[in-house]
Amino acid sequence: MSIDPRTPVLVGLAQSVDRTSEPGQGLSPQDMMAAVARAAIADSGATGVEAVIDCVTVVRLFQDSGFGAPFGKQNNLPWAVARRIGAAPKRSLYGPVGGNSPQMLVNHFAELITQGANDVVLLTGCEPLRTQARAQKAGLKLDWAEESPEAAEQWPEKTTYATPHEMQHGIALPVNIYPLFENALGAHYGRDPVSHRKAIGQLMARFTEVAAANPYAQLPVARTADEIITPEGDNRYIGYPYTKYLNANMFVDQAAALLLMSTEAADRLGVPAGKRVYLHGNADTHEKILVSERVNYHSSPAVRIGAAHALKQAGITPADLAHMDIYSCFSSAVEIAADEIGIAQDDPRGLTLTGGLPYFGGPGNNYSMHGIAEVAARCRANPGSFGLVFANGGYLTKHSFGVWSTTPKAYARTDPASYQAGIDTMPSPAFTEKPEGEGSIETFTVVHMKGEPAFALLIGRLADGTRFLAQIHDNPGSLIDVPVIGRKVRVTPTDTVNIATLS
C-alpha cells in the first residue's frame, strides 16, 4: 500500500543494562546514551543515519530533576551524545521532568515529522545511579562534567506538582503519595487491608516473573507474593502498605534509545520493512495537577479519557491488544490504569513486558522508553499485532499513550486540549488548609523511617465534605492492617501541620 512519505515511523531501538561493573568502572551518562544510540542506529538497518539526524533529544535525568550531580554537570547532554556518535543535529533538546516523557516526546516528534519540521530524530535517556551510588560509597570521585559551546534547548513546560502546604504535610515524595492511592483502592474494592496487601502481592509477583526473564532487567529475580508484601529483613515498610519490594528501584544503570524518521527518509536510507513500527494512536492527558484537587483517589479520569482516545484513533479496543506495558512505579498505578483502560488486572496477556519499575528497574523519567522498545520489538516479531504503552509522570499526574503496530498507517494527532477540557472541568471538593473539628479519613498511609512508623499522612473530609490534609503522630503503627478509611478523626491546625487524632 502507498503511504504519505511524511508518515513517521519508529525504525531503531536499543536498551542496555549494567549489573556487574565495579565501583568507579560504570559509564558516564553521556557514554551510556552514546552506546545505546549507536545500537539503535545499527538496529534500524539503515546506512548514513548519523549524517542526517536533525534532532537529538535526551529525556531529563534525575540529576537535573532535583537529585543533584555529585560528579559534575553537563550543559548539553544531547550535544554530548551527538558528538560521540558523529552527528551534527540542528536541534539539541532536553526534556521535562516526568515519566510520561518518552511516549510524550514520541507523540510530539511524530507530529513534527509529519509537518516536515524534522526528518530524522534520535531520542535517548538513561540513569547511572547504580554507578553513582557505588562510587560515592567507595569514596571515589568521577568526572562526568562536560561543557558544550551552547547550552541545550530546554523543554518549555514546567509543572509544579505540589503546593507548599501539601509538601509540608508529606505530599512531596512519590513513596508517600502512591500509598494514598493504594489504600483508597483497597477500600474501593471492598477488601480488608490484609486481603488487599495479598492481592497486590499476587499482581506484582507476576511482574517479577517477567523481569526474571528480561535480559535488560536490573533485578532479574522472581519473587512470591508473600516475599513481596512481608515486611521483614531488608524488605521493610517504606509507606504502608508498600514494602521496599513494592517501590520503584531508581538505583540502576540503564539506558535506551529510539530512532524515528519519516517514511521518505526510511526509504532513502534503506530501512527494511521488517524494522518499521507505526504509531496508530496517541494521546496526552493530565489529572488535576494537585493531589489535594483530585476527584477521588481510586480512579483516573485522565487515564480513562486518554486511553480511550488513543485506542479509538487506532481503530481497536483493549481486546485487540497483544502487547502491553503499563507504567508500574507502584502497584496502584498499575491497578488504576488497568481499571480505566478496561483490562483485567490478571489478564493473561500480561500488563508488563519489562517487569516493572521495582524489578526491571526504574531509570527515572526514561523508564517508558524501555517500554516502547519492548512493545515495538514484540510488534516486529508478530507483524500486524497491536501494542500499547501507557506512560505516567508525577503523582499519577501526567499520562501519555501510544498504540503501535507494523501495519503502515498515516499518523494522526488530535489537539490534546480538545479532550483535556473535560478533565479540567470536573469538580474538585472544596479544600481548606486550616481544618478544625470533626472529620473522617478519605485515605491515608503510614510513613516509615528506617522501617519504623514515623507518622500517618492522611487526606480527610470535614462534616460538610471539605477536604483537608493532616498527620497523626500518636502511635501511627496502630493503623497498619486494620480498617482505617472512613474512621472519624478530630483535626486541629498548628503553625506547621494539621494534627489529627482518632475519635
Side-chain angles (χ1 to χ4, degrees):
M1 63 175 289
S2 62
I3 191 168
D4 189 321
R6 297 309 312 165
T7 300
V9 59
L10 173 61
V11 300
L13 50 98
Q15 304 179 69
S16 70
V17 64
D18 176 5
R19 305 188 200 99
T20 60
S21 64
E22 294 299 318
Q25 299 303 308
L27 296 178
S28 70
Q30 305 96 297
D31 290 329
M32 288 176 68
M33 290 186 286
V36 81
R38 293 187 197 99
I41 291 168
D43 174 72
S44 73
T47 57
V49 171
E50 294 85 351
V52 294
I53 293 173
D54 52 39
C55 179
V56 174
T57 293
V58 168
V59 173
R60 186 168 292 265
L61 273 65
F62 266 142
Q63 67 176 28
D64 300 311
S65 304
F67 287 80
F71 299 137
K73 297 276 288 183
Q74 313 85 21
N75 71 332
N76 194 330
L77 278 167
W79 173 87
V81 172
R83 182 174 69 88
R84 283 164 170 78
I85 67 173
K90 63 184 180 182
R91 188 179 187 194
S92 297
L93 177 65
Y94 198 36
V97 175
N100 62 309
S101 295
Q103 184 64 58
M104 180 273 290
L105 289 167
V106 166
N107 297 345
H108 172 73
F109 280 106
E111 183 174 23
L112 292 184
I113 289 170
T114 301
Q115 295 169 349
N118 288 103
D119 202 38
V120 180
V121 177
L122 175 70
L123 303 176
T124 186
C126 75
E127 281 301 335
L129 289 188
R130 172 187 173 273
T131 283
Q132 179 178 306
R134 286 163 61 85
Q136 287 179 295
K137 186 175 181 179
L140 302 175
K141 293 187 180 298
L142 307 180
D143 183 9
W144 291 351
E146 187 168 357
E147 292 289 317
S148 76
E150 295 181 351
E153 175 190 349
Q154 303 289 312
W155 185 264
E157 182 270 330
K158 291 182 173 63
T159 301
T160 300
Y161 287 96
T163 66
H165 177 76
E166 288 178 318
M167 290 188 286
Q168 196 168 26
H169 281 81
I171 294 184
L173 296 175
V175 295
N176 291 355
I177 299 166
Y178 281 86
L180 297 172
F181 303 136
E182 193 65 74
N183 286 318
L185 280 164
H188 173 68
Y189 295 146
R191 296 174 182 152
D192 66 79
V194 173
S195 296
H196 186 59
R197 285 204 300 116
K198 289 179 179 179
I200 61 178
Q202 291 164 356
L203 170 65
M204 300 312 288
R206 295 191 289 273
F207 277 57
T208 72
E209 292 168 1
V210 175
N214 189 319
Y216 299 109
Q218 193 76 51
L219 294 171
V221 178
R223 299 188 189 277
T224 67
D226 283 343
E227 285 180 282
I228 291 168
I229 67 171
T230 302
E232 62 183 21
D234 185 50
N235 191 36
R236 61 190 181 278
Y237 276 132
I238 306 295
Y240 175 80
Y242 291 154
T243 59
K244 180 181 177 181
Y245 293 163
L246 286 166
N247 283 254
N249 172 28
M250 67 182 187
F251 291 99
V252 303
D253 283 349
Q254 290 177 309
L258 304 173
L259 184 64
L260 297 169
M261 59 180 65
S262 67
T263 293
E264 179 182 47
D267 291 343
R268 185 175 71 250
L269 298 173
V271 176
K275 293 289 187 178
R276 305 185 189 196
V277 188
Y278 297 85
L279 193 57
H280 281 228
N282 65 92
D284 297 282
T285 60
H286 64 79
E287 307 295 346
K288 290 173 178 289
I289 299 297
L290 300 180
V291 172
S292 58
E293 291 182 340
R294 300 293 169 86
V295 175
N296 58 51
Y297 299 103
H298 62 262
S299 72
S300 171
V303 172
R304 181 172 66 254
I305 289 169
H309 179 84
L311 290 167
K312 182 178 179 180
Q313 190 177 66
I316 63 171
T317 71
D320 298 311
L321 294 168
H323 328 289
M324 292 176 277
D325 195 75
I326 305 301
Y327 199 87
S328 50
C329 50
F330 300 89
S331 52
S332 55
V334 178
E335 294 162 303
I336 289 174
D339 291 350
E340 299 291 20
I341 295 169
I343 304 165
Q345 293 176 19
D346 61 353
D347 193 298
R349 292 171 291 182
L351 304 183
T352 183
L353 296 176
T354 65
L357 282 82
Y359 319 114
F360 170 82
N365 300 315
N366 200 53
Y367 163 79
S368 282
M369 194 173 291
H370 294 266
I372 294 169
E374 295 283 352
V375 166
R378 298 308 195 285
C379 288
R380 284 174 171 178
N382 300 274
S385 63
F386 289 94
L388 170 70
V389 172
F390 162 62
N392 162 63
Y395 311 135
L396 206 66
T397 310
K398 296 180 177 181
H399 315 299
S400 294
F401 307 84
V403 180
W404 296 90
S405 180
T406 56
T407 303
K409 184 179 188 295
Y411 177 78
R413 175 74 165 168
T414 302
D415 183 354
S418 65
Y419 45 86
Q420 180 64 42
I423 303 164
D424 295 341
T425 57
M426 292 180 180
S428 298
F431 183 80
T432 179
E433 291 190 356
K434 296 291 184 181
E436 190 159 9
E438 296 292 333
S440 61
I441 297 175
E442 186 173 6
T443 191
F444 82 106
T445 182
V446 179
V447 176
H448 285 63
M449 301 296 179
K450 296 182 179 180
E452 295 298 322
F455 64 91
L457 165 62
L458 66 88
I459 300 176
R461 297 289 193 100
L462 297 174
D464 65 358
T466 299
R467 183 177 279 161
F468 64 88
L469 304 178
Q471 293 182 358
I472 293 177
H473 293 172
D474 183 21
N475 193 17
S478 66
L479 304 181
I480 291 174
D481 280 354
V482 298
V484 170
I485 292 177
R487 289 183 65 175
K488 300 296 183 182
V489 294
R490 174 167 288 277
V491 61
T492 304
T494 73
D495 292 338
T496 53
V497 298
N498 302 319
I499 297 298
T501 55
L502 293 171
S503 298

